[in-house]
Amino acid sequence: MIYAIEYEHLTDELIKNEKTQWHFNEVKNHANEYKLELSDDEFKGFLKLSLKDKDIGWLMNQMRYKRTFTEALISYITY
């Protein structure tokens, strides 16, 4: 069984062009890879970070170990 949340309800709001489409898919694919069910706010935060070329994979990996989005961000900044 493949873990896949599509986050379709966010597409109209967040996808504006090819660049945002690519980053949207990156966030979605990483979240599904780490089996994370992101809140809308977390997804939007990860999209902003992805658009700024931040390592969202590392951050999501931290969340996989039961850290919150905020805790993962603090770890990223202090790492």
Side-chain angles (χ1 to χ4, degrees):
M1 179 179 204
I2 296 174
Y3 191 89
I5 299 174
E6 295 299 322
Y7 300 96
E8 301 106 354
H9 65 285
L10 296 173
T11 56
D12 288 341
E13 178 185 352
L14 300 177
I15 297 175
K16 304 297 181 197
N17 53 43
E18 287 182 22
K19 181 179 179 179
T20 54
Q21 173 74 59
W22 188 87
H23 287 279
F24 183 95
N25 289 335
E26 279 293 295
V27 173
K28 177 180 72 171
N29 293 339
H30 277 298
N32 287 325
E33 175 185 345
Y34 291 112
K35 296 181 172 77
L36 298 174
E37 189 172 331
L38 302 175
S39 70
D40 290 357
D41 287 336
E42 290 171 337
F43 193 96
K44 291 173 186 178
F46 276 116
L47 182 61
K48 286 178 185 177
L49 291 168
S50 181
L51 286 164
K52 293 179 187 254
D53 294 320
K54 302 303 177 194
D55 190 353
I56 62 170
W58 189 92
L59 289 162
M60 287 191 193
N61 184 49
Q62 296 300 304
M63 288 180 69
R64 181 174 68 165
Y65 296 108
K66 305 299 180 203
R67 288 190 173 169
T68 65
F69 181 68
T70 303
E71 291 169 335
L73 283 173
I74 291 169
S75 294
Y76 185 78
I77 292 167
T78 60
Y79 180 69

